[in-house]
Amino acid sequence: MIKVLPLLILFIYVFSRGVPLVFAQGAQTAPACNGQMTDFGCLPSDVPGFVTTLYGWGLSLISFVAVLFIIIGGYFILTSRGDVEALQKGKSFIFYAIAGVLLAVLGFVFIEIVTGQILKIPGFS
């Protein structure tokens, strides 16, 4: 259980990045859009805002697919019935799903550090 808790916190954090806080604040109107309003929501017109929004969507998609593959891996493990090959297949599904999410999150952290603190590109911080 202790090993699973950090991963659960990581998944919750990644899934909640793209969720607007409009409903939590009780607002009835949509927030003002400083960019272009599309079917997917407000896309910022500045490059740093656009990249951050796009990366947030990508992390959400990657984490959704990872949770799906963790469920599939768990299914293979539960239905292996002593078959070593099916057990290894399930373990590899889970391992690579977690590794993919970790690489995606670490890539995001790396980009934030490089662009915001090392190169000091305006807009990235």
Side-chain angles (χ1 to χ4, degrees), residues 10 13-14 17 51-52 55-56 59 100-119 124-125:
L10 178 70
Y13 172 74
V14 171
R17 280 201 45 82
V51 169
T52 303
Y55 213 98
L59 283 177
V101 169
L102 287 177
L103 284 175
V105 169
L106 290 176
F108 178 72
V109 169
F110 177 76
I111 293 295
E112 287 292 318
I113 290 173
V114 168
T115 58
Q117 296 178 1
I118 295 174
L119 296 177
F124 289 97
S125 57

Side-chain angles (χ1 to χ4, degrees), residues 2 5-6 8 10 23 26 34 36 42 55-56 60-61 66 83 85 97 101 106 108 110 118-119:
I2 299 296
L5 188 61
L8 181 63
L10 178 70
F23 300 110
N34 294 332
Q36 180 180 359
C42 180
Y55 213 98
S60 298
L61 178 67
D83 183 16
E85 186 176 316
V101 169
L106 290 176
F108 178 72
F110 177 76
I118 295 174
L119 296 177

